[in-house]
Amino acid sequence: MLRNSVFRTACSGFSSMPGLRSSLAPSLLWQARRHLATVKAHEILEAKPAKATSSDQWLKTVQGVDPFSKTQSRVYGSSTSSAVEDDPSADKASTCSEHHNHELEHSIRDFLSTTRQRPRAGLKADELVVKCPVCSPGKSRRLAYSAHLNTNTGAFVCTGCFEQGSWDKYQELAKRRNFQNTIPKSRATDPLPFEFAETTLMQLQANLANHEEIYAALTGQEKGQLRLRPSVLAQYGVGLGFVNTAVPEILDLEALAEGCDNSVPCLVFPRTAFRTNSFIESSKDSGAVSNTGRARGQESAALSSMIEEEEDVSDPTGVAASPSEFCTVQLKIVGWNIADLEMYVPVDEAQPGLFGFHVASAESPDIILTGHELDAVAAYQETGIPAVSLPKGPYQLPLDAMRALERYERVYVWLDDNHQGAAAAELITRKLGVDRCMVVHTKGGDPQGPKSASIALARGLDLTSILERSQPVQHDKVLDFSALREAVKFEVTNPDLIRGVESTDLPGWNASFKGLRPGELTILSGATGSGKTTVISQMSLDFCKSGVSTLWGSFEIPN
């Protein structure tokens, strides 16, 4: 009776608070942090309207401003001096910071030139992909570039061996004999990364538009068709190639675009990345470091068709980047209605890239992360939020992709709504940060619902509404009220199923408390002399006779 009354009291207490949802704690925490940050920034701007915060400087860097140019340094210096006009120490600090940046810039340029490296642009605007001083020995020259170097701080991290540290540590490790052996003996630098001919990329896109069956399956509005808009497919650069299944590797891109007698149709998904960045461009001007691609002013016809705004597509993200700002670094080839046909060109990832990376702009605070390429196209088309897909299968998040997603405030993880997808989504959100990730459940609790975004679009469902129902990952140690309510209801309605260890000599105790259950703490309270110690002593003897491990202690009886 006592236990049942406690349960009824707990249930009535929780039912009187319908707004109590512990599962919303991460979302509320994220909103509170964001609101708090906004309030603090607003207060600072009111007090010192001309002073630039560190986040403002970071945003300028992301938008393509060269952090090492003299013009940029003067902008920071002038804004600081206007905010504290009477404080000469501010000008001195700004000058010291500018001097330090220039010293680091020249140090990086000189060292990369001395070691004859050809750095690639990373997936972040202030990042270079350089040789790893630890794991590059023994690798091919293209695969040796696995370390990501921050041009602002000089810090590096390798996605291959996970070595990390400061710029001084990088130089110290690079002075070892193993790394010195990787420096080309001739005066030529390392070879250029793999580069795709623009005519080939345009031909792959034209193949898709000219193939009536596959094009209708992707863009048609009938039952079973995906209902993707042609303009969005062109914006993502989706193409169609032809692969000879008897050949394990694609060696000729022209054959991929034109096909042969034994070839089968395959969808082609380009992975894009920054073609260059401000550090590499300024290095080219000084002749210190050579970049991978074309001149910055040269247009890319294939990427132009991928990035340019279409009349029937609204682009809320405001992609303002020029076509030459991005380049295709790898092609993923997936068989059409052919299981287990998946190939890559080139086979190795000499430069990291993501499908849809050129669509995501620096101004957008949100991004959608999907497991499949067509899911990313469907999500972006219907929600207007930039979407990228995981590069290595629907359940793996490599370190390159994780670093590229650092600048976004909110990440919607939209994987397949099944057991594997749920486990992968939980793991990915914990890597990216549970306070800024939301998991999208496409089925919405319906076992017969669609498992992915593209299938939901094919069924005519509203993807925006599905996205709005996304939820944060529930904490391991926090239960929502629905789970607690069901547990209490089960114990109340099934008392015989939750019986614990019972006493052999106290049947009245068993009738009231149904025994002692693992994981529970039972407290006996009462007035002095009411028999608490006697009852517990008798129960200890009962458990010992029954073979139940028992620990008995008392603060009143001396040893």
Side-chain angles (χ1 to χ4, degrees), residues 60-191:
K60 292 179 181 178
T61 304
V62 170
Q63 294 168 2
V65 181
D66 186 356
F68 296 108
S69 65
K70 296 181 179 179
T71 305
Q72 181 69 10
S73 299
R74 285 197 298 268
V75 170
Y76 290 154
S78 61
S79 62
T80 305
S81 60
S82 61
V84 284
E85 191 170 347
D86 298 330
D87 187 1
S89 61
D91 293 333
K92 183 177 180 180
S94 177
T95 304
C96 293
S97 177
E98 178 182 351
H99 179 67
H100 173 73
N101 287 344
H102 281 292
E103 283 187 347
L104 179 62
E105 172 191 4
H106 290 300
S107 176
I108 294 176
R109 293 186 202 277
D110 294 343
F111 189 82
L112 295 180
S113 177
T114 302
T115 55
R116 297 188 179 92
Q117 297 191 47
R118 195 184 296 270
R120 286 82 160 143
L123 293 177
K124 300 171 68 175
D126 57 350
E127 192 173 73
L128 296 176
V129 181
V130 297
K131 283 184 177 180
C132 176
V134 177
C135 65
S136 61
K139 294 183 178 179
S140 64
R141 290 183 177 180
R142 293 197 304 115
L143 295 181
Y145 288 81
S146 58
H148 296 251
L149 178 65
N150 189 305
T151 57
N152 289 333
T153 63
F156 77 97
V157 58
C158 177
T159 57
C161 64
F162 303 105
E163 184 69 38
Q164 59 182 338
S166 63
W167 174 241
D168 292 336
K169 181 179 180 180
Y170 182 92
Q171 295 180 90
E172 180 182 352
L173 293 174
K175 293 177 182 179
R176 298 178 179 177
R177 177 175 300 179
N178 291 339
F179 182 81
Q180 293 294 319
N181 293 336
T182 65
I183 301 176
K185 302 303 180 184
S186 62
R187 297 190 60 83
T189 57
D190 284 338

Side-chain angles (χ1 to χ4, degrees), residues 473-519:
V473 174
Q474 186 172 336
H475 196 280
D476 293 338
K477 305 302 181 182
V478 177
L479 294 177
D480 57 8
F481 177 69
S482 59
L484 182 61
R485 178 183 56 195
E486 294 300 323
V488 173
K489 179 180 178 182
F490 178 82
E491 291 190 10
V492 172
T493 56
N494 301 277
D496 294 333
L497 298 179
I498 51 95
R499 288 182 177 272
V501 180
E502 298 183 344
S503 174
T504 57
D505 297 334
L506 300 175
W509 169 276
N510 299 332
S512 299
F513 293 93
K514 307 300 186 293
L516 299 179
R517 284 155 294 277

Side-chain angles (χ1 to χ4, degrees), residues 194-430:
F194 191 91
E195 189 168 351
F196 295 91
E198 300 297 339
T199 55
T200 303
L201 297 176
M202 294 182 64
Q203 180 62 40
L204 293 173
Q205 296 182 40
N207 290 345
L208 179 62
N210 295 331
H211 199 289
E212 295 182 1
E213 178 185 354
I214 297 180
Y215 194 68
L218 295 177
T219 62
Q221 302 295 318
E222 302 297 330
K223 182 179 180 180
Q225 297 177 333
L226 295 185
R227 307 185 184 188
L228 298 173
R229 287 199 290 265
S231 55
V232 182
L233 287 173
Q235 191 172 3
Y236 272 86
V238 181
L240 183 70
F242 303 93
V243 175
N244 186 356
T245 56
V247 180
E249 185 178 350
I250 299 176
L251 301 176
D252 187 0
L253 289 179
E254 294 184 0
L256 174 65
E258 298 175 0
C260 61
D261 295 337
N262 299 324
S263 60
V264 295
C266 299
L267 290 179
V268 179
F269 303 106
R271 293 177 178 174
T272 56
F274 285 121
R275 178 182 296 279
T276 183
N277 57 27
S278 58
F279 186 90
I280 296 178
E281 287 298 311
S282 57
S283 298
K284 290 170 59 179
D285 296 338
S286 63
V289 178
S290 177
N291 186 29
T292 61
R294 302 173 179 80
R296 190 172 181 82
Q298 185 174 351
E299 295 295 324
S300 166
L303 278 174
S304 177
S305 64
M306 294 162 60
I307 299 179
E308 64 183 358
E309 295 182 0
E310 301 290 342
E311 294 181 359
D312 58 340
V313 177
S314 60
D315 186 6
T317 62
V319 178
S322 62
S324 60
E325 191 170 343
F326 301 96
C327 65
T328 301
V329 296
Q330 192 179 44
L331 296 179
K332 180 181 179 181
I333 302 167
V334 181
W336 178 258
N337 292 333
I338 301 177
D340 301 329
L341 177 54
E342 184 174 304
M343 308 176 73
Y344 297 90
V345 179
V347 176
D348 47 49
E349 297 182 5
Q351 183 175 356
L354 289 174
F355 175 77
F357 180 76
H358 59 281
V359 177
S361 68
E363 292 79 10
S364 176
D366 303 334
I367 194 169
I368 298 175
L369 182 63
T370 66
H372 303 281
E373 287 76 12
L374 292 180
D375 291 339
V377 177
Y380 173 68
Q381 172 182 303
E382 297 300 309
T383 65
I385 300 177
V388 297
S389 65
L390 292 171
K392 294 184 178 180
Y395 308 123
Q396 298 182 28
L397 178 65
L399 185 58
D400 294 328
M402 186 169 64
R403 292 172 60 82
L405 301 175
E406 288 179 352
R407 59 188 173 92
Y408 295 97
E409 298 180 7
R410 175 66 63 91
V411 179
Y412 293 95
V413 182
W414 200 335
L415 305 183
D416 291 348
D417 197 356
N418 52 25
H419 176 70
Q420 288 182 318
E426 181 177 357
L427 180 62
I428 289 174
T429 53
R430 298 195 186 283

Side-chain angles (χ1 to χ4, degrees), residues 432-494:
L432 297 176
V434 293
D435 58 337
R436 68 187 185 105
C437 291
M438 302 289 286
V439 179
V440 182
H441 302 280
T442 314
K443 293 183 179 180
D446 182 8
Q448 305 300 323
K451 72 172 185 177
S452 64
S454 58
I455 297 178
L457 179 61
R459 295 186 182 182
L461 301 180
D462 187 1
L463 267 64
T464 302
S465 300
I466 296 177
L467 185 73
E468 292 175 351
R469 295 198 300 267
S470 60
Q471 298 178 351
V473 174
Q474 186 172 336
H475 196 280
D476 293 338
K477 305 302 181 182
V478 177
L479 294 177
D480 57 8
F481 177 69
S482 59
L484 182 61
R485 178 183 56 195
E486 294 300 323
V488 173
K489 179 180 178 182
F490 178 82
E491 291 190 10
V492 172
T493 56
N494 301 277

